Amino acid sequence: MKKLGLALGGGGLKGLAHIGILQVLEDNRIPVSMVSGTSSGSIMAALYASGLSPYSMEEEVLKLKPGDYLDYNISGLIRYLLSCFIPTMGATLDGIIKGDRLEKLIFHLTGGKYLQDSKLPLAIIACDIDSGREIIFSGEKIRLDDNDGLVVQDALLSQAVRASISIPATFVPSHLQGMQLVDGGVRSMVPVAVQKLLGAEYVLAVNLGQYIYDQGVQGIPEIVNRALNILGYETSATEEKIFADMSIYPDVSEVRLSDLDKAAEIIRIGRRTMKKEVAKLKRNLLA
């Protein structure tokens, strides 16, 4: 069987569909040889690479409340508003959500593991917003052909995820090793190209962005997230066509970051999507 590389795309809470996809692969005894993730896909990739089974992942998710991972930047907002009237304060507002709770949650669920502790080759994508470079978090020795990217090997899984999920203007950027890191979807919404660097022989891409925008958005976080999704998936389309051997598109409607009441259904959508394609995937892996 060919070495399967699984590329998990970003998409906010829709990323829970990745759990259902992993469950079907496990049920059918299809081994994942390497995994990559962007944004919410990085969460599932990190949990899976740390050794957490997809069914355990579902159990943990269904126990969560929005307050377990959403920490609004109230103090930063107050300082920014005050600086509008007191210019000498010089305060800026870098994001609405601080991201500390989510990072702590991932640290707990991954057992505080470092990238080098991953059970299988892993790559998590972020972007240095100051330089525009793609940042690849991986415990593997990845060689890049140009100076447009950087590989970070010395970091916790939770630090890599915290960087990759930092949607600009929604999450406060992650500051790590002298860089200001934001959502990996700015550079690679569905991280398929990095799979070739990891050694994948067959790449399965999970794209959460192929749907019609039939719901309106309101508020800065939703507007920014929608704009990034439109731009990010357009940018990643060429990469996916070139490097993905097979792509699947879970049909998940627009959901907010706090819509945990929809978690079980989103996971089921992922399962149903993968079940429809699992026979084809088996044939291709054995061809």
Side-chain angles (χ1 to χ4, degrees), residues 9-15 38-41 164-165 167-168 170 183-190 207-213 215 217 221-237 240 252-257:
L13 208 65
K14 292 184 294 182
T38 291
S39 199
S40 59
S164 185
I165 57 88
I167 302 168
T170 300
D183 194 298
V186 174
R187 290 301 306 254
S188 181
M189 187 64 81
V190 186
N207 189 321
L208 299 171
Q210 296 294 313
Y211 63 91
I212 297 173
Y213 295 106
Q215 297 181 28
V217 291
E222 290 184 26
I223 292 171
V224 171
N225 192 42
R226 172 69 64 83
L228 285 174
N229 280 344
I230 294 171
L231 292 170
Y233 285 112
E234 287 294 326
T235 302
S236 293
E240 191 175 333
V252 184
S253 299
E254 193 80 2
V255 288
R256 296 178 176 85
L257 290 175

Side-chain angles (χ1 to χ4, degrees), residues 8-9 36-47 122 124-125 160-162 164-165:
L8 305 179
S36 59
T38 291
S39 199
S40 59
S42 76
I43 298 176
M44 305 310 161
L47 296 182
L122 165 72
I124 288 175
I125 308 301
V161 169
R162 169 66 179 87
S164 185
I165 57 88

Side-chain angles (χ1 to χ4, degrees), residues 22 34 55 67 69 91 101 110-111 115 155 187 193-194 199 214 228 232 234 271 273 283:
L22 285 164
M34 53 275 299
Y55 285 99
Y69 59 90
R101 288 185 188 173
T110 59
L115 291 165
R187 290 301 306 254
V194 72
D214 57 357
L228 285 174
E234 287 294 326
R271 278 202 295 265
T273 303
R283 289 196 302 271

Side-chain angles (χ1 to χ4, degrees), residues 132-136 142-151 187 197:
R133 290 188 302 177
E134 180 178 71
I135 307 301
I136 301 174
I142 295 176
R143 283 189 176 185
L144 301 179
D145 295 330
D146 53 47
N147 296 321
D148 193 37
L150 176 69
V151 178
R187 290 301 306 254
L197 300 176

